[in-house]
Every structure is written in C-alpha cells, then in structure tokens.
Amino acid sequence: MSIQEQYRSRAKELLGEGSVKMVIGYGVGTTATRRRPIFITSPDETDRLVLDASCRTNLAGYLLREGLLADQKSIAVFLLPDGVRALNILAAESQLATAQIVVLGFEIKGEEVKPLEGTAAGDFSAIIAERKEQRKAQPSHEMAVKLEEMTPAERFAFWEKEFSRCIKCYACRAACPMCWCRRCVVDNNQPQWVNTSSHTLGNLEWNLVRAFHLAGRCVECGNCSEACPVNIPLHLLNGRMTDEVLTAFDHYPGADEQQEPVLASFRKDDPETFIL
Amino acid sequence: MSEPFEPKIVAFVCTYCTYAGADLAGTSRLKYPPNVRIVRLPCTGRISPMFILKAFQKGADGVLVSGCHPGDCHFDHGNYHARRRWTAFNALLQFTGVPEERVKFSWISAAEGIKFAELIDSITEEIRTAGPFEQYHKLIAETGSAASV
C-alpha cells in the first residue's frame, strides 16, 4: 500500500470513528506540483487527500482559524517535522492545546515521502532533536555567506533593492503559522510605527519588524518565501535570526511544548559582546 | 561656507540608571555634546526595537540604547530581557547593512556620570566622522516627508 493510501485510510478511520471532527491535509492544486490545503469533515471525502513530495506547505497555521478549536473536539492535521515544531510553539504560546491535535506526521527525503511514527506532538521529540543537530551543522545559505562578506553599504543596497519590490500585500504574514496576532503592529495607526505607503522605507521597516518578531519562533518551513509574489528572500532574514538564537542562546524553535519563548526568557549569563 | 555637520542622536535610556547617570553628568558640570536627544523610559525592558526604527524614520543619524548594568535593574530583570532582544535585533541590523556605528548599546549606572559624558562624546565624534545617515535619509525623502528629529 502506498503511503498516500495508508494515510487516506488512517484519515477515514479517524473521521469514521468520530475521534476527530476534521482532517486538514493536502489536495490537488492548479498545477501538477501545486498542493492546496483541504479541510475534510466526512469519511467519504478522504479520497481527495494527496500525499507526495510536493506537499511542503506547513498546515499548522490553519488550526488557529477563529473558533475552530473552541468546541474542544480534536482535529487531525498532516505535518512535516517543521509543522510539529510550529505546533509546539503555538502550544507554548497558549494558542492551542496539543491534546486536541492528532498529528499525521510524514517527512520528505529527496523525492520520497516517509511516514513518521506517532500521533501526538510529543511523540516526535527524537526527530526534532535530530533536526536541531542537523541545523547546527548545516552550512549557511550560499547567498547568506555572500552577504556576510559584503560591506555594510553593499548589504544595505542589496536589501534596499529587494525590499523596494515589496507591495505590502502581507502574504508572508497570512502564510506564516506564527503570525497569529489579532492586531499586527503594522496595522496600528496610533502610533503609526511602520510607514504603510508602498515606499522602500516602510517596506524595510515592515520586513525588519517581521523578521524580529519571528526570532526564535520561525521554524523555517518556507511558507513566507513561497507566498511572496515578488520573491523577496525572506528565508535569509529568518535563517539569520535562527542562527543567532541557536548560537547565542542554544534555542532551537519548537523543540517541545514546554520550551520557553526565547525573547520572553533569559539567563543571567547570556552572551553580550556588543554592549558598551 | 557650509556649516560643520552636527549629527542628531537619539538616546533611549532607563530612568533608574542611565537617566540618573546623565543627570549626574549634568550636576557634576561635565560637558558633553548637545547632539543627543534623551528619551526617558521606565526600564530598558520597555524599549521596543520599534523605537530605534522610529528614530531613524524621523531622520536620526544615530541611536543609543542604554540602561542598568545586568543585576542592577530596578525591576530585577527588565534589562536581561532587553539584552536578549538587543542581541537578536543587533544581528538583524548588521545583516541588513545598518552600519555598526549607527546603533549603540550600553550599560550606564546612576553613578557613572563620567562614563555617560565620555560615551556621548565618543559616539558623537564617531557619527560626525561617518557623516549623515544618507542611505536612510534617501529612503525618507522618497516618502515625501522631511527628516525631523
């Protein structure tokens, strides 16, 4: 039985016995390699589920749709290891209770999709711990290395050019499972922190603020870069923040649901190399 | 004849340590450059990175953020939280190419009037040498509003 069949029948079983009220998974999209999230509530619909190497979107954010979890009923969701980490962070930030979530975990290696053992977020701690070590050893993105070698003026020019294309559609925010604020700082107009007109200044401010608010929270699922209509390399900013919290505070976002948010906790011996 | 460049520097300071230190510098009749505009806040923990961006948005050439030494916070641990925030935000600024001399962080206690005066002296000189923050001023000009700190 293919992994897709295996997961379809698992979803059918869960919905059939009534242990979950909904399955959030992937369905066919507009092109052969595009997948779109589907929300299934009846066991008859599970044939619409697709599971292959194109299923890379992190679906964790859909769990926070207003009122979805309010009735205390369970929901099953297809998640990659990054998705499980997102789930852990959302639980740590009191946005959901992991007991309500049934994880249909899988991972993609090359073009092969492999099932992951476990149903609760806590069952995946071993693979997440492994990912942490991989992330530590992972060489920086090619472009990130180039940027680090540039002078500050060149770096500024690079980002100025990138951000000048931003149209402030906020697709990055909409696609991000971590952007759950009911009222985003950029929507505030008293005070107006960020310039909302589509000039490079406001674009720079917006992207800096978003990267900062994701420091230690981003699971690097890639939803934002994928969603950006003008292809701003948002993963470089987020990746740089992840490097920083990992090296400075040994913080791997979403390691488990007890993990304290990195910017809401501290150690007295945190490093400080730049403070006069 | 053009006038010498006088940088505009905004200092976000906590009221219990650095502001008191600045006060001490004043009452001790220590002289330091008048280029710094001090904004007093209850604690470094209150200083959001948005403040730094706002200062630049309004045309500042440099920003200083300063508070109590670790362990000395009036609220016990506000500065520890601030330190983590600064670490992440400073890395972000460096990565996006904001020159290092434009944003400075320091610990200055209420007893360190001399340190305050000397620090303002040195950062003013550093920014005077670097010149106006043209890269940012260009972005401000695009929006049609004039820099006004």
Side-chain angles (χ1 to χ4, degrees), chain A residues 152 155-156 159-160 192-193 199 201 205 208-209 212 241 244 262 264-268 270 272 276, chain B residues 49-51 54 57 77 80-81 83-85 87-88 92 94-97 105-107 136 138 142:
Chain A
R155 273 203 295 277
F156 197 91
W159 287 110
E160 188 184 334
Q192 180 100 56
W193 291 113
H199 292 110
L201 177 63
E205 290 167 337
L208 287 186
V209 169
F212 179 70
M241 289 286 86
E244 189 64 28
V262 71
S265 55
F266 64 87
R267 284 171 54 102
K268 290 195 170 168
D270 277 337
E272 49 163 269
L276 302 169
Chain B
M50 300 304 301
F51 295 1
K54 194 71 180 175
Q57 187 194 91
H77 53 254
Y80 288 121
H81 283 294
R83 184 168 64 180
R84 280 210 164 179
R85 237 179 267 162
T87 303
L92 183 61
Q94 306 288 318
F95 190 63
T96 43
F105 302 89
S106 72
W107 306 128
Y136 224 87
K138 194 186 107 201
E142 277 175 18

Side-chain angles (χ1 to χ4, degrees), chain B residues 33-62:
Chain B
N35 302 58
V36 63
R37 282 88 167 137
I38 297 179
V39 181
R40 180 166 68 147
L41 292 139
C43 178
T44 42
R46 175 65 186 89
I47 301 172
S48 156
M50 300 304 301
F51 295 1
I52 300 174
L53 292 181
K54 194 71 180 175
F56 284 131
Q57 187 194 91
K58 293 294 173 191
D61 298 300

Side-chain angles (χ1 to χ4, degrees), chain A residues 159-167 198-200 203 232:
Chain A
W159 287 110
E160 188 184 334
K161 191 158 161 267
E162 293 295 330
F163 294 147
S164 67
R165 296 199 307 274
C166 177
I167 53 170
S198 197
H199 292 110
T200 308
N203 298 346
I232 296 171

